[in-house]
Amino acid sequence: RIDLRSDTVTKPTPAMRRAMSEAEVGDDERDGDPTTRRLEERVASMLGKDAALFFPSGVMANQAAIRVLTAPATEVLVDATAHIVEGEIAGLAALNGVQIRPVRPSGRVMHAGDLARAIRQPSRYDPALSAVCIENTHNSAGGVVTAPEELRAIADVAHGRGLPVHLDGARLWNAAVALGTSPAELAAHVDTVMVAFSKGLGAPIGAAVAAPASLIDALWTARKLFGGAMRQSGVVAAAALYGIEHHYDRLAEDHRHARILAERLDGVAGASVVPPDTNIVMIDLPSGMDAEQVVAAAGLEGVHVTAWTPTRIRLVTHLDLSAADTDIAATVIARVLTAAR
Ligand SMILES: *Cc1c(COP(=O)(O)O)cnc(C)c1O
């Protein structure tokens, strides 16, 4: 069985489980959990921010960050196909009382010009804008990387209008490795940044928000409001620390495997592969071919992928996928595409 549905499917390795079982722990809310504190300090320094707060999930972390940056009855400007729009129920509305103002990207992802065009002059008839969100890498667009210069341009547009910027960096590690830069450089111009540990780094769960010191108390309160106050969270934080120490540099291998899949599958039976920047491979099927059918046929041969839209399938490479698995997956999917023709 080869599972390419997501990089969330990875299981903690024996060594990661050992680190978890040996973690020094305490009651995080009462006294501070020492391993969680270590993780938060490490993440804050990796992202060049004053402080960071550990969360059980990326969704909760995104929602808490948006809560502290916005006020109810305002609008958040965000790329129309962002995870915050498509993958978090209607959390912005239900939890935070804010409305999404989707920005339609002119390219694959939102650029500074797209954002500038979406910002209205303040008017008593329109909802006030309160924040801007960006996603790097961009999942739905196919793991697309936004480079530091563009991030700076986007932040300049937002800050020029007095709007804070939240970066959904669930896969910011992948962007940094792909660009050969540091996560701090990619987070330099944003106000808050969420990073996830349960994707490429292979931890079972977990995320963090890094932010200026002035926002940490409010983030703590938002996390508690959403049911995320922590106790002996060091058991899980240890897995995240282990992932940072041991699984960060190898993300380049996932990117290599994604490129191999793309090279082997582009053009097969008329399929068109979006060239991957990182570990997500989007395959657009030729007209008449149905994504659900392709997914079912590949599944029967033990290769599991996702129907992203009725005409697009998504493959994600990760820690639990070897070079040999990549080769088998490419062979199986090529065969399935040819048969579906
Ligand atoms: C997975 C993901 C999240 C949410 O992370 P969870 O830890 O699964 O809640 C947020 N944003 C993006 C872009 C993601 O891919």
Side-chain angles (χ1 to χ4, degrees):
R1 180 187 165 91
I2 296 173
D3 197 343
L4 295 166
R5 290 171 304 163
S6 177
D7 44 11
T8 58
V9 301
T10 55
K11 306 222 169 79
T13 62
M16 181 181 279
R17 286 175 191 259
R18 234 168 2 254
M20 295 172 76
S21 75
E22 289 164 6
E24 191 194 341
V25 296
D27 187 325
D28 190 54
E29 186 168 55
R30 201 165 301 276
D31 312 313
D33 173 279
T35 305
T36 303
R37 258 329 70 74
R38 256 195 322 123
L39 172 65
E40 289 171 341
E41 280 161 20
R42 181 74 188 267
V43 167
S45 107
M46 286 177 88
L47 294 167
K49 301 293 178 207
D50 297 339
L53 198 62
F54 185 49
F55 281 79
S57 77
V59 169
M60 192 194 283
N62 272 340
Q63 294 296 327
I66 288 162
R67 186 172 189 89
V68 304
L69 296 179
T70 62
T74 62
E75 283 188 331
V76 171
L77 289 145
V78 52
D79 192 316
T81 62
H83 193 278
I84 283 171
V85 178
E86 296 187 335
E88 307 195 0
I89 318 298
L92 252 54
L95 302 173
N96 292 324
V98 297
Q99 169 163 292
I100 287 165
R101 183 157 189 82
V103 180
R104 309 240 162 256
S106 53
R108 291 164 71 193
V109 297
M110 181 175 80
H111 288 277
D114 304 324
L115 177 64
R117 276 188 294 281
I119 296 179
R120 295 177 302 246
Q121 290 305 318
S123 151
R124 64 196 297 184
Y125 301 108
D126 296 324
L129 301 170
S130 54
V132 171
C133 293
I134 48 188
E135 187 174 311
N136 199 17
T137 69
H138 195 295
N139 178 6
S140 218
V144 174
V145 168
T146 301
E149 313 79 65
E150 186 61 36
L151 291 166
R152 180 191 204 125
I154 291 171
D156 282 350
V157 168
H159 292 152
R161 299 297 296 268
L163 303 171
V165 180
H166 173 65
L167 170 57
D168 176 347
R171 295 187 183 84
L172 194 69
W173 318 123
N174 295 84
V177 167
L179 290 166
T181 186
S182 67
E185 168 141 30
L186 296 174
H189 304 288
V190 305
D191 299 273
T192 55
V193 50
M194 183 278 270
V195 288
F197 307 116
S198 63
K199 297 200 165 149
L201 296 184
I205 60 168
V209 175
S214 61
L215 291 179
I216 294 295
D217 282 350
L219 276 168
W220 181 285
T221 304
R223 187 182 68 177
K224 175 142 189 168
L225 178 68
F226 295 159
M230 300 284 193
R231 302 300 180 188
Q232 287 72 30
S233 47
V235 171
V236 184
L241 275 166
Y242 186 91
I244 290 169
E245 298 280 348
H246 299 277
H247 298 159
Y248 185 98
D249 291 333
R250 64 151 306 287
L251 292 172
E253 200 176 311
D254 297 343
H255 301 172
R256 205 154 46 238
H257 292 157
R259 284 196 298 275
I260 290 169
L261 289 169
E263 280 158 21
R264 294 266 303 269
L265 296 171
D266 189 40
V268 173
S272 163
V273 180
V274 180
D277 284 355
T278 52
N279 69 325
I280 298 179
V281 184
M282 293 293 193
I283 306 180
D284 289 316
L285 304 174
S287 65
M289 211 184 275
D290 174 52
E292 295 287 356
Q293 262 169 22
V294 170
V295 167
L300 287 176
E301 297 204 43
V303 174
H304 299 273
V305 302
T306 307
W308 196 251
T309 72
T311 58
R312 171 177 267 205
I313 61 174
R314 187 186 81 159
L315 286 52
V316 186
T317 59
H318 53 71
L319 181 62
D320 292 356
L321 181 85
S322 65
D325 295 335
T326 305
D327 181 54
I328 295 168
T331 304
V332 166
I333 294 166
R335 188 159 64 224
V336 164
L337 289 172
T338 306
R341 184 79 197 252

